[in-house]
Coordinates of all heavy atoms in Angstrom, one line a residue:
M1 N -27.8 42.7 25.3 CA -27.9 41.9 24.1 C -26.7 42.2 23.1 O -26.2 41.2 22.6 CB -29.2 42.5 23.3 CG -29.3 41.7 22.0 SD -31.1 41.7 21.6 CE -31.1 41.0 20.0
W2 N -26.1 43.4 22.9 CA -25.0 43.6 22.2 C -23.7 42.9 22.8 O -22.9 42.4 22.1 CB -24.8 45.1 22.1 CG -25.7 45.6 21.2 CD1 -26.8 46.6 21.6 CD2 -25.8 45.6 19.7 NE1 -27.5 46.9 20.4 CE2 -27.0 46.4 19.3 CE3 -25.2 45.1 18.9 CZ2 -27.3 46.6 18.1 CZ3 -25.5 45.0 17.5 CH2 -26.6 45.8 17.1
V3 N -23.9 42.8 24.1 CA -22.6 42.1 24.8 C -22.6 40.6 24.4 O -21.6 40.0 24.0 CB -22.7 42.3 26.2 CG1 -21.6 41.4 26.9 CG2 -22.6 43.8 26.6
V4 N -23.7 40.0 24.3 CA -23.9 38.6 24.0 C -23.5 38.4 22.5 O -22.7 37.5 22.2 CB -25.3 38.1 24.2 CG1 -25.5 36.6 23.6 CG2 -25.6 38.1 25.7
A5 N -24.0 39.3 21.7 CA -23.6 39.3 20.1 C -22.1 39.4 20.0 O -21.5 38.7 19.2 CB -24.4 40.2 19.5
G6 N -21.5 40.3 20.8 CA -20.1 40.5 20.6 C -19.3 39.3 21.1 O -18.3 38.9 20.6
V7 N -19.8 38.6 22.2 CA -19.1 37.4 22.6 C -19.2 36.3 21.7 O -18.2 35.6 21.4 CB -19.7 37.0 24.0 CG1 -19.3 35.5 24.5 CG2 -19.3 38.0 25.1
V8 N -20.4 36.1 21.1 CA -20.5 35.0 20.0 C -19.6 35.3 18.9 O -19.0 34.4 18.3 CB -22.0 35.0 19.6 CG1 -22.2 34.1 18.5 CG2 -22.8 34.5 20.8
V9 N -19.6 36.6 18.4 CA -18.8 36.9 17.2 C -17.3 36.8 17.6 O -16.5 36.2 16.9 CB -19.1 38.3 16.7 CG1 -18.0 38.9 15.7 CG2 -20.5 38.4 16.2
G10 N -16.9 37.2 18.8 CA -15.5 37.0 19.2 C -15.2 35.5 19.3 O -14.0 35.2 18.9
L11 N -16.0 34.7 19.8 CA -15.7 33.2 19.9 C -15.7 32.7 18.5 O -14.8 31.8 18.3 CB -16.7 32.5 20.7 CG -16.7 32.8 22.3 CD1 -17.8 31.9 23.0 CD2 -15.4 32.3 22.8
G12 N -16.5 33.1 17.6 CA -16.4 32.6 16.3 C -15.1 33.1 15.5 O -14.4 32.2 14.9
L13 N -14.7 34.3 15.7 CA -13.4 34.8 15.2 C -12.3 34.0 15.8 O -11.4 33.5 15.1 CB -13.3 36.2 15.2 CG -12.0 37.0 14.9 CD1 -12.1 36.8 13.4 CD2 -12.1 38.4 15.2
A14 N -12.3 33.7 17.1 CA -11.2 33.0 17.7 C -11.0 31.6 17.3 O -10.0 31.1 17.0 CB -11.3 33.1 19.3
G15 N -12.3 30.9 17.1 CA -12.3 29.6 16.6 C -11.7 29.6 15.1 O -10.9 28.7 14.7
F16 N -12.1 30.6 14.3 CA -11.6 30.5 12.9 C -10.1 30.9 12.9 O -9.5 30.2 12.1 CB -12.2 31.7 12.2 CG -11.8 31.9 10.9 CD1 -12.1 31.1 9.7 CD2 -10.9 33.2 10.5 CE1 -11.7 31.4 8.4 CE2 -10.5 33.3 9.3 CZ -10.7 32.3 8.2
L17 N -9.6 31.7 13.7 CA -8.0 32.1 13.7 C -7.4 30.8 14.2 O -6.3 30.4 13.7 CB -7.8 33.2 14.6 CG -8.3 34.5 14.0 CD1 -8.1 35.7 14.9 CD2 -7.6 34.9 12.6
A18 N -7.9 30.1 15.2 CA -7.3 28.9 15.8 C -7.2 27.8 14.7 O -6.2 27.1 14.5 CB -8.0 28.5 17.0
D19 N -8.3 27.7 13.9 CA -8.3 26.7 12.8 C -7.2 27.1 11.9 O -6.6 26.1 11.3 CB -9.7 26.6 12.2 CG -9.8 25.7 11.1 OD1 -9.4 24.5 11.3 OD2 -10.2 26.2 9.9
R20 N -7.1 28.3 11.4 CA -6.1 28.7 10.4 C -4.7 28.4 10.9 O -3.8 27.9 10.2 CB -6.2 30.2 10.0 CG -7.6 30.5 9.4 CD -8.1 29.6 8.3 NE -7.2 29.7 7.2 CZ -7.3 28.9 6.2 NH1 -8.3 28.1 6.0 NH2 -6.5 29.1 5.1
V21 N -4.4 28.7 12.1 CA -3.1 28.5 12.8 C -2.9 27.0 12.7 O -1.7 26.5 12.4 CB -3.0 29.1 14.3 CG1 -1.8 28.5 15.0 CG2 -2.9 30.6 14.2
L22 N -3.9 26.1 13.1 CA -3.6 24.7 13.2 C -3.5 24.1 11.8 O -2.6 23.2 11.5 CB -4.8 24.0 13.8 CG -4.8 24.3 15.4 CD1 -6.2 23.8 16.0 CD2 -3.6 23.6 16.0
L23 N -4.2 24.9 10.7 CA -3.9 24.3 9.3 C -2.5 24.7 8.8 O -1.8 23.9 8.1 CB -4.9 24.9 8.4 CG -6.3 24.3 8.5 CD1 -7.3 25.1 7.6 CD2 -6.2 22.9 7.9
A24 N -2.0 25.8 9.2 CA -0.6 26.2 8.9 C 0.4 25.2 9.5 O 1.3 24.9 8.8 CB -0.4 27.6 9.3
M25 N 0.1 24.9 10.7 CA 1.1 24.0 11.4 C 1.1 22.6 10.8 O 2.0 21.9 10.6 CB 0.6 23.8 12.9 CG 0.8 25.1 13.7 SD 0.2 25.1 15.4 CE 1.3 23.9 16.1
E26 N -0.1 22.2 10.3 CA -0.2 20.9 9.6 C 0.5 21.0 8.2 O 1.1 20.0 7.9 CB -1.8 20.6 9.4 CG -1.9 19.2 8.6 CD -3.3 18.9 8.4 OE1 -4.1 19.8 8.0 OE2 -3.7 17.7 8.4
A27 N 0.4 22.2 7.6 CA 1.1 22.3 6.2 C 2.6 22.0 6.6 O 3.3 21.6 5.5 CB 0.8 23.6 5.7
R28 N 3.1 22.5 7.6 CA 4.5 22.3 7.9 C 5.0 21.0 8.4 O 6.0 20.6 8.6 CB 5.0 23.4 8.8 CG 4.9 24.9 8.3 CD 5.2 25.8 9.3 NE 4.8 27.1 8.9 CZ 5.7 28.1 8.7 NH1 6.9 27.9 9.1 NH2 5.3 29.2 8.2
G29 N 3.9 20.1 8.6 CA 4.2 18.8 9.1 C 4.3 18.6 10.5 O 4.8 17.6 11.1
W30 N 4.0 19.5 11.2 CA 4.0 19.5 12.7 C 3.0 18.7 13.4 O 3.3 18.1 14.4 CB 4.1 20.9 13.4 CG 5.3 21.8 13.0 CD1 6.5 21.4 12.3 CD2 5.5 23.2 13.0 NE1 7.2 22.5 12.0 CE2 6.7 23.6 12.5 CE3 4.7 24.1 13.6 CZ2 7.1 24.9 12.5 CZ3 5.1 25.5 13.5 CH2 6.3 25.9 12.9
I31 N 1.7 18.8 13.0 CA 0.7 18.2 13.6 C -0.2 17.6 12.5 O -0.2 18.0 11.3 CB -0.1 19.1 14.5 CG1 -0.7 20.2 13.6 CG2 0.7 19.5 15.7 CD1 -1.8 21.1 14.4
Y32 N -1.3 16.8 12.8 CA -2.3 16.4 12.0 C -3.5 17.2 12.4 O -3.9 17.1 13.6 CB -2.5 14.9 12.0 CG -1.4 14.2 11.3 CD1 -0.7 13.3 12.1 CD2 -1.2 14.2 10.0 CE1 0.4 12.6 11.7 CE2 -0.1 13.5 9.5 CZ 0.6 12.6 10.3 OH 1.6 12.1 9.7
W33 N -4.2 17.9 11.5 CA -5.3 18.5 11.9 C -6.6 18.1 11.0 O -7.2 17.1 11.3 CB -5.2 20.1 11.9 CG -6.4 21.0 12.2 CD1 -6.9 21.9 11.4 CD2 -7.0 21.0 13.4 NE1 -7.9 22.6 12.1 CE2 -8.0 21.9 13.3 CE3 -6.9 20.2 14.6 CZ2 -8.9 22.3 14.4 CZ3 -7.8 20.6 15.6 CH2 -8.8 21.6 15.5
R34 N -7.0 18.9 10.0 CA -8.1 18.5 9.3 C -7.9 18.0 7.9 O -8.6 17.0 7.5 CB -8.9 19.9 8.9 CG -10.0 20.2 9.9 CD -10.9 21.3 9.4 NE -10.2 22.4 8.8 CZ -10.8 23.2 7.9 NH1 -11.8 22.8 7.4 NH2 -10.0 24.1 7.3
K35 N -6.9 18.3 7.3 CA -6.6 17.9 5.8 C -6.1 16.5 5.8 O -6.4 15.8 4.9 CB -5.7 18.8 5.2 CG -6.2 20.2 5.1 CD -7.4 20.4 4.3 CE -7.9 21.7 4.1 NZ -9.1 21.9 3.3
T36 N -5.2 16.0 6.7 CA -4.6 14.7 6.6 C -5.4 13.8 7.6 O -5.7 14.1 8.7 CB -3.1 14.8 7.2 OG1 -2.4 15.9 6.4 CG2 -2.4 13.5 7.0
K37 N -5.7 12.7 6.9 CA -6.6 11.8 7.7 C -5.7 10.5 8.0 O -4.7 10.2 7.3 CB -7.8 11.2 6.8 CG -8.7 12.4 6.5 CD -9.9 11.8 5.9 CE -10.8 13.0 5.2 NZ -11.5 13.7 6.1
G38 N -6.2 9.8 9.0 CA -5.6 8.5 9.4 C -4.6 8.7 10.5 O -4.1 9.8 10.8
L39 N -4.2 7.5 11.0 CA -3.2 7.6 12.2 C -1.9 6.8 11.6 O -2.0 6.0 10.5 CB -3.8 6.7 13.3 CG -4.9 7.3 14.0 CD1 -5.4 6.3 15.1 CD2 -4.6 8.5 14.7
S40 N -0.9 6.9 12.2 CA 0.3 6.2 11.9 C 0.0 4.8 12.4 O -0.8 4.4 13.2 CB 1.5 6.7 12.8 OG 1.3 6.6 14.1
S41 N 0.8 3.8 11.9 CA 0.6 2.5 12.2 C 0.8 2.2 13.8 O 0.1 1.4 14.3 CB 1.5 1.5 11.4 OG 2.9 1.8 11.8
L42 N 1.7 3.1 14.3 CA 1.8 2.9 15.7 C 0.7 3.4 16.5 O 0.2 2.6 17.4 CB 3.1 3.8 16.2 CG 3.4 3.7 17.7 CD1 3.8 2.4 18.1 CD2 4.5 4.7 17.9
G43 N 0.0 4.3 16.0 CA -1.4 4.9 16.6 C -2.4 3.8 16.5 O -3.1 3.6 17.5
V44 N -2.5 3.2 15.3 CA -3.5 2.3 15.1 C -3.3 1.0 16.1 O -4.2 0.4 16.6 CB -3.5 1.7 13.6 CG1 -4.4 0.6 13.5 CG2 -4.0 2.9 12.8
D45 N -2.0 0.6 16.2 CA -1.7 -0.6 17.0 C -1.9 -0.3 18.4 O -2.4 -1.2 19.2 CB -0.2 -0.9 16.9 CG 0.3 -1.5 15.6 OD1 -0.7 -2.0 14.8 OD2 1.4 -1.6 15.2
L46 N -1.6 0.9 18.9 CA -2.0 1.2 20.3 C -3.5 1.3 20.6 O -4.1 0.8 21.6 CB -1.4 2.7 20.6 CG 0.0 2.7 20.7 CD1 0.6 4.1 21.0 CD2 0.6 1.8 21.9
I47 N -4.3 1.8 19.6 CA -5.7 1.7 19.8 C -6.3 0.5 19.7 O -7.1 -0.1 20.6 CB -6.5 2.6 18.7 CG1 -6.1 4.1 18.8 CG2 -7.9 2.4 18.6 CD1 -6.5 4.9 17.8
Q48 N -5.8 -0.4 18.8 CA -6.3 -1.8 18.7 C -5.8 -2.8 19.8 O -6.4 -3.8 20.0 CB -5.7 -2.5 17.3 CG -6.5 -1.9 16.1 CD -6.1 -2.4 14.8 OE1 -5.2 -3.1 14.8 NE2 -6.9 -2.1 13.8
E49 N -4.7 -2.3 20.4 CA -4.2 -3.2 21.5 C -5.3 -3.3 22.6 O -5.4 -4.5 23.3 CB -3.0 -2.5 22.2 CG -2.2 -3.5 23.2 CD -1.7 -4.7 22.5 OE1 -1.3 -4.7 21.3 OE2 -1.6 -5.7 23.2
G50 N -6.0 -2.2 22.9 CA -7.0 -2.3 24.0 C -8.4 -2.7 23.5 O -9.3 -2.8 24.4
D51 N -8.6 -2.9 22.3 CA -9.8 -3.3 21.7 C -10.1 -4.8 21.5 O -9.5 -5.3 20.6 CB -10.0 -2.6 20.3 CG -11.5 -2.8 19.7 OD1 -12.3 -3.1 20.5 OD2 -11.6 -2.4 18.5
P52 N -10.9 -5.4 22.3 CA -11.1 -6.8 22.2 C -11.7 -7.3 20.8 O -11.3 -8.4 20.3 CB -12.1 -7.2 23.3 CG -12.1 -6.0 24.1 CD -11.7 -4.8 23.4
G53 N -12.4 -6.4 20.1 CA -13.0 -6.7 18.9 C -11.9 -6.8 17.8 O -11.8 -7.7 16.9
A54 N -10.9 -5.9 17.8 CA -9.8 -5.8 16.9 C -8.9 -7.1 17.2 O -8.4 -7.6 16.0 CB -9.0 -4.5 17.1
Q55 N -8.8 -7.4 18.4 CA -7.9 -8.5 18.6 C -8.5 -9.8 18.2 O -7.8 -10.7 17.7 CB -7.7 -8.7 20.2 CG -6.8 -7.6 20.8 CD -6.6 -7.7 22.2 OE1 -7.3 -8.3 22.8 NE2 -5.8 -6.8 22.7
A56 N -9.9 -9.9 18.3 CA -10.6 -11.2 17.8 C -10.5 -11.2 16.4 O -10.3 -12.3 15.7 CB -12.0 -11.1 18.3
V57 N -10.5 -10.2 15.6 CA -10.5 -10.2 14.2 C -9.1 -10.6 13.7 O -9.0 -11.4 12.9 CB -10.8 -8.7 13.6 CG1 -10.4 -8.6 12.2 CG2 -12.4 -8.3 13.7
K58 N -8.1 -10.1 14.5 CA -6.8 -10.5 14.1 C -6.5 -11.9 14.3 O -5.8 -12.7 13.5 CB -5.8 -9.8 14.9 CG -4.2 -9.8 14.6 CD -3.3 -8.9 15.3 CE -2.0 -9.2 14.9 NZ -0.9 -8.5 15.7
R59 N -7.0 -12.5 15.4 CA -6.9 -14.0 15.7 C -7.6 -14.8 14.6 O -7.1 -15.7 14.1 CB -7.4 -14.2 17.0 CG -6.5 -14.1 18.2 CD -6.9 -14.7 19.5 NE -8.3 -14.3 19.8 CZ -8.6 -13.3 20.5 NH1 -7.7 -12.4 21.1 NH2 -9.8 -13.0 20.8
A60 N -8.9 -14.3 14.2 CA -9.5 -15.0 13.2 C -8.8 -15.0 11.8 O -8.8 -16.0 11.2 CB -11.0 -14.4 13.1
M61 N -8.2 -13.8 11.5 CA -7.5 -13.8 10.3 C -6.3 -14.7 10.3 O -5.9 -15.3 9.2 CB -7.1 -12.3 10.0 CG -8.2 -11.4 9.6 SD -7.9 -9.7 9.5 CE -6.7 -9.6 8.1
D62 N -5.6 -14.8 11.4 CA -4.4 -15.7 11.6 C -4.8 -17.1 11.4 O -4.2 -18.0 10.8 CB -3.6 -15.5 12.8 CG -2.9 -14.1 12.9 OD1 -2.6 -13.5 11.8 OD2 -2.6 -13.6 14.0
Q63 N -6.0 -17.5 12.1 CA -6.5 -18.8 11.9 C -6.9 -19.1 10.6 O -6.7 -20.3 10.0 CB -7.6 -19.1 12.9 CG -7.2 -19.0 14.3 CD -8.5 -19.1 15.3 OE1 -9.6 -18.9 14.8 NE2 -8.3 -19.2 16.5
E64 N -7.5 -18.2 9.8 CA -7.9 -18.4 8.4 C -6.6 -18.6 7.5 O -6.7 -19.5 6.7 CB -8.8 -17.3 8.0 CG -9.4 -17.5 6.4 CD -10.4 -18.6 6.5 OE1 -10.8 -18.9 7.6 OE2 -10.8 -19.0 5.3
R65 N -5.6 -17.8 7.8 CA -4.5 -18.0 7.0 C -3.8 -19.3 7.2 O -3.3 -20.0 6.3 CB -3.4 -16.8 7.3 CG -2.2 -16.9 6.5 CD -1.2 -15.6 6.7 NE -1.0 -15.3 8.1 CZ -1.4 -14.1 8.6 NH1 -2.1 -13.2 7.8 NH2 -1.2 -13.8 9.8
V66 N -3.8 -19.8 8.5 CA -3.2 -21.1 8.9 C -4.1 -22.3 8.1 O -3.6 -23.3 7.6 CB -3.1 -21.3 10.4 CG1 -2.9 -22.8 10.7 CG2 -2.2 -20.5 10.9
R67 N -5.4 -22.0 8.3 CA -6.3 -23.0 7.6 C -6.0 -23.2 6.1 O -6.1 -24.2 5.6 CB -7.7 -22.6 7.9 CG -8.7 -23.7 7.5 CD -10.2 -23.3 7.6 NE -10.7 -22.2 6.8 CZ -11.0 -22.4 5.6 NH1 -10.9 -23.6 5.0 NH2 -11.5 -21.4 4.8
K68 N -5.9 -22.0 5.5 CA -5.7 -22.0 4.0 C -4.3 -22.3 3.6 O -3.9 -22.4 2.5 CB -6.1 -20.8 3.4 CG -7.5 -20.5 3.4 CD -7.9 -19.1 2.7 CE -9.4 -18.9 2.6 NZ -9.6 -17.6 1.9
N69 N -3.4 -22.4 4.6 CA -2.0 -22.6 4.5 C -1.2 -21.5 3.6 O -0.5 -21.7 2.6 CB -1.6 -23.9 3.9 CG -0.2 -24.3 4.0 OD1 0.6 -23.7 4.9 ND2 0.3 -25.4 3.3
V70 N -1.7 -20.3 3.8 CA -1.1 -19.1 3.1 C -0.1 -18.4 3.9 O -0.2 -18.2 5.1 CB -2.3 -18.1 2.8 CG1 -1.8 -16.9 2.1 CG2 -3.4 -18.8 1.9
R71 N 1.1 -18.1 3.3 CA 2.1 -17.4 4.0 C 1.8 -16.1 4.1 O 1.2 -15.4 3.3 CB 3.4 -17.7 3.2 CG 4.0 -19.1 3.5 CD 5.3 -19.2 2.7 NE 4.9 -19.5 1.4 CZ 5.7 -19.5 0.2 NH1 6.9 -19.1 0.4 NH2 5.3 -19.9 -0.8
P72 N 2.2 -15.3 5.3 CA 2.1 -14.0 5.3 C 2.9 -13.2 4.3 O 3.7 -13.8 3.6 CB 2.6 -13.6 6.8 CG 3.4 -14.8 7.2 CD 2.9 -16.0 6.4
A73 N 2.5 -11.9 4.1 CA 3.2 -11.1 3.1 C 4.7 -11.1 3.2 O 5.3 -11.1 4.3 CB 2.7 -9.7 3.2
Q74 N 5.3 -11.3 2.0 CA 6.9 -11.4 2.1 C 7.3 -10.0 1.6 O 6.7 -9.2 1.2 CB 7.2 -12.5 1.1 CG 6.9 -13.8 1.6 CD 7.3 -15.0 0.4 OE1 7.5 -14.6 -0.6 NE2 7.1 -16.2 0.8
D75 N 8.7 -10.0 1.8 CA 9.4 -8.8 1.1 C 9.2 -8.6 -0.4 O 8.9 -9.6 -1.0 CB 10.9 -8.9 1.4 CG 11.2 -8.8 2.9 OD1 10.5 -8.3 3.6 OD2 12.2 -9.4 3.2
P76 N 9.2 -7.5 -0.7 CA 9.1 -7.3 -2.3 C 10.1 -8.0 -3.0 O 11.2 -8.3 -2.6 CB 9.2 -5.8 -2.5 CG 9.7 -5.2 -1.3 CD 9.4 -6.2 -0.1
P77 N 9.8 -8.4 -4.3 CA 10.7 -9.2 -5.1 C 12.0 -8.4 -5.5 O 12.9 -9.0 -6.2 CB 9.9 -9.6 -6.3 CG 8.9 -8.7 -6.4 CD 8.5 -8.1 -5.0
F78 N 12.0 -7.2 -5.3 CA 13.2 -6.4 -5.6 C 13.6 -5.3 -4.7 O 12.7 -4.9 -3.8 CB 13.0 -5.7 -7.0 CG 11.8 -4.8 -7.1 CD1 12.1 -3.4 -6.8 CD2 10.7 -5.3 -7.4 CE1 11.0 -2.6 -6.9 CE2 9.6 -4.4 -7.6 CZ 9.8 -3.0 -7.3
R79 N 14.7 -4.8 -4.6 CA 15.2 -3.7 -3.7 C 16.0 -2.8 -4.5 O 16.9 -3.2 -5.3 CB 16.1 -4.3 -2.6 CG 16.5 -3.3 -1.6 CD 17.1 -4.1 -0.4 NE 18.2 -5.0 -0.7 CZ 19.4 -4.7 -0.8 NH1 19.8 -3.5 -0.6 NH2 20.3 -5.7 -1.2
V80 N 15.7 -1.5 -4.3 CA 16.5 -0.4 -5.0 C 17.4 0.2 -4.2 O 17.0 0.7 -3.0 CB 15.4 0.5 -5.7 CG1 16.1 1.7 -6.4 CG2 14.5 -0.1 -6.6
D81 N 18.6 0.2 -4.5 CA 19.6 1.0 -3.7 C 20.1 2.2 -4.5 O 20.9 2.3 -5.4 CB 20.9 0.1 -3.5 CG 21.9 0.8 -2.6 OD1 21.7 1.9 -2.1 OD2 23.0 0.1 -2.2
L82 N 19.5 3.4 -4.1 CA 19.7 4.6 -4.7 C 21.1 5.1 -4.6 O 21.7 5.8 -5.5 CB 18.7 5.7 -4.2 CG 17.3 5.4 -4.5 CD1 16.4 6.5 -4.1 CD2 17.0 5.4 -6.1
D83 N 21.7 4.9 -3.4 CA 23.1 5.3 -3.2 C 24.0 4.7 -4.2 O 24.9 5.4 -4.8 CB 23.5 5.2 -1.8 CG 22.7 6.0 -0.8 OD1 22.3 7.2 -1.2 OD2 22.5 5.6 0.3
A84 N 23.8 3.5 -4.4 CA 24.9 2.6 -5.2 C 24.3 2.6 -6.6 O 25.1 2.2 -7.6 CB 25.0 1.2 -4.6
G85 N 23.0 3.0 -6.9 CA 22.5 3.0 -8.3 C 22.3 1.6 -8.7 O 22.4 1.4 -9.9
T86 N 21.9 0.7 -7.9 CA 21.6 -0.8 -8.3 C 20.2 -1.2 -7.8 O 19.5 -0.7 -7.0 CB 22.7 -1.6 -7.6 OG1 22.5 -1.5 -6.1 CG2 24.1 -1.4 -8.1
V87 N 19.9 -2.2 -8.7 CA 18.5 -2.9 -8.3 C 18.8 -4.3 -8.0 O 19.5 -5.0 -8.8 CB 17.5 -2.8 -9.4 CG1 16.2 -3.6 -9.1 CG2 17.2 -1.3 -9.7
H88 N 18.3 -4.8 -6.9 CA 18.7 -6.3 -6.5 C 17.3 -7.0 -6.7 O 16.2 -6.6 -6.0 CB 19.1 -6.4 -5.0 CG 20.3 -5.7 -4.8 ND1 21.6 -6.1 -5.0 CD2 20.5 -4.4 -4.3 CE1 22.6 -5.2 -4.8 NE2 21.9 -4.1 -4.3
V89 N 17.2 -8.0 -7.5 CA 16.1 -8.8 -7.8 C 16.2 -10.2 -7.2 O 17.2 -10.8 -7.3 CB 15.7 -8.9 -9.3 CG1 14.5 -9.7 -9.6 CG2 15.7 -7.6 -10.0
R90 N 15.1 -10.6 -6.4 CA 15.1 -11.9 -5.7 C 14.5 -12.7 -6.6 O 13.5 -12.6 -7.0 CB 14.4 -11.8 -4.4 CG 14.4 -13.1 -3.6 CD 13.7 -13.1 -2.3 NE 12.2 -13.0 -2.7 CZ 11.3 -12.2 -2.2 NH1 11.7 -11.3 -1.3 NH2 10.0 -12.3 -2.6
R91 N 15.1 -14.0 -6.9 CA 14.5 -15.0 -7.7 C 13.7 -15.9 -6.7 O 14.1 -16.4 -5.7 CB 15.5 -15.8 -8.5 CG 16.3 -15.0 -9.4 CD 17.2 -15.8 -10.2 NE 17.9 -14.9 -11.1 CZ 18.6 -15.4 -12.0 NH1 18.9 -16.6 -12.2 NH2 19.3 -14.6 -12.9
T92 N 12.5 -16.3 -7.1 CA 11.5 -17.1 -6.4 C 11.6 -18.4 -6.9 O 11.1 -19.3 -6.0 CB 10.1 -16.5 -6.5 OG1 9.7 -16.5 -7.9 CG2 10.0 -15.1 -5.8
G93 N 12.0 -18.7 -7.9 CA 12.2 -20.2 -8.4 C 11.0 -20.8 -9.0 O 11.1 -21.8 -9.6
H94 N 9.8 -20.2 -8.9 CA 8.7 -20.7 -9.5 C 8.0 -19.8 -10.5 O 6.9 -20.0 -11.0 CB 7.4 -20.8 -8.3 CG 7.1 -19.7 -7.7 ND1 6.2 -18.8 -8.2 CD2 7.5 -19.3 -6.5 CE1 6.0 -17.9 -7.3 NE2 6.7 -18.1 -6.2
E95 N 8.8 -18.9 -11.0 CA 8.4 -18.0 -12.2 C 8.7 -18.7 -13.5 O 9.9 -19.2 -13.5 CB 9.1 -16.6 -12.1 CG 8.7 -16.0 -10.8 CD 9.5 -14.6 -10.7 OE1 10.4 -14.5 -11.4 OE2 9.2 -13.8 -9.8
R96 N 8.0 -18.7 -14.4 CA 8.2 -19.3 -15.7 C 8.6 -18.1 -16.8 O 7.9 -16.9 -16.7 CB 6.9 -20.0 -16.3 CG 6.7 -21.3 -15.7 CD 5.5 -22.0 -16.3 NE 5.6 -21.8 -17.7 CZ 4.6 -22.1 -18.6 NH1 3.4 -22.4 -18.1 NH2 4.7 -21.9 -19.8
Q97 N 9.6 -18.4 -17.4 CA 10.1 -17.4 -18.5 C 9.4 -17.7 -19.7 O 9.6 -18.8 -20.3 CB 11.6 -17.4 -18.6 CG 12.3 -17.1 -17.4 CD 12.7 -15.6 -17.4 OE1 12.8 -15.1 -18.5 NE2 13.0 -15.0 -16.3
E98 N 8.6 -16.8 -20.2 CA 8.0 -17.0 -21.6 C 8.9 -16.6 -22.7 O 9.6 -15.5 -22.4 CB 6.7 -16.1 -21.7 CG 5.6 -16.6 -20.6 CD 5.1 -17.9 -21.1 OE1 5.0 -18.2 -22.1 OE2 4.6 -18.7 -20.0
P99 N 9.0 -17.2 -23.7 CA 9.8 -16.8 -24.8 C 9.3 -15.5 -25.4 O 8.2 -15.4 -25.5 CB 9.8 -18.0 -25.9 CG 8.6 -18.7 -25.6 CD 8.4 -18.5 -24.2
P100 N 10.2 -14.6 -25.9 CA 9.7 -13.4 -26.4 C 8.9 -13.6 -27.7 O 9.3 -14.6 -28.4 CB 11.0 -12.6 -26.7 CG 12.0 -13.5 -26.7 CD 11.6 -14.7 -26.0
P101 N 7.9 -12.7 -28.0 CA 7.2 -13.0 -29.2 C 8.0 -12.7 -30.4 O 8.8 -11.8 -30.5 CB 6.0 -12.0 -29.2 CG 6.4 -11.0 -28.0 CD 7.4 -11.6 -27.3
S102 N 7.8 -13.6 -31.5 CA 8.6 -13.4 -32.7 C 8.0 -12.5 -33.8 O 6.9 -12.2 -33.6 CB 9.0 -14.7 -33.4 OG 7.9 -15.5 -33.4

């Protein structure tokens, strides 16, 4: 009976230590363990590639976008170049300039 209790305690201690080591590896950015959730976009794409349901949802969203004649997401209206210390603003042509309040 003591042998079984020792094995159970030993396995619990080994699991605890393995968890702490994996958390330390995650803190250094080597792996994803418990604290960080989610997949990279590449991982999500790979999972959805084989999922017929996800493909059907994507097709339905594309068809709805075409039906509503909505353009897909565009680049942001500005770009910041930290090396040069500049900001580039793209003009869209349909923005109205309001006069400043007096």
Side-chain angles (χ1 to χ4, degrees):
M1 176 156 172
W2 289 104
V3 173
V4 173
V7 168
V8 169
V9 169
L11 287 175
L13 183 62
F16 174 77
L17 291 176
D19 180 58
R20 300 311 296 177
V21 167
L22 290 169
L23 283 174
M25 292 172 70
E26 181 183 40
R28 294 174 189 242
W30 296 345
I31 62 169
Y32 292 112
W33 180 238
R34 271 194 310 148
K35 300 291 182 183
T36 306
K37 298 189 187 282
L39 293 172
S40 67
S41 62
L42 179 62
V44 171
D45 290 342
L46 289 175
I47 289 172
Q48 289 181 348
E49 190 66 33
D51 184 14
Q55 291 174 355
V57 168
K58 185 176 179 182
R59 277 193 308 271
M61 289 174 63
D62 288 340
Q63 289 172 352
E64 185 70 13
R65 185 172 44 243
V66 168
R67 186 182 72 78
K68 289 183 176 181
N69 195 17
V70 176
R71 285 181 271 165
Q74 296 177 348
D75 292 335
F78 61 90
R79 181 173 51 94
V80 178
D81 187 356
L82 294 177
D83 294 330
T86 58
V87 176
H88 302 276
V89 179
R90 184 183 73 227
R91 295 187 180 185
T92 59
H94 58 77
E95 297 173 352
R96 286 183 44 198
Q97 295 267 337
E98 295 292 328
S102 46

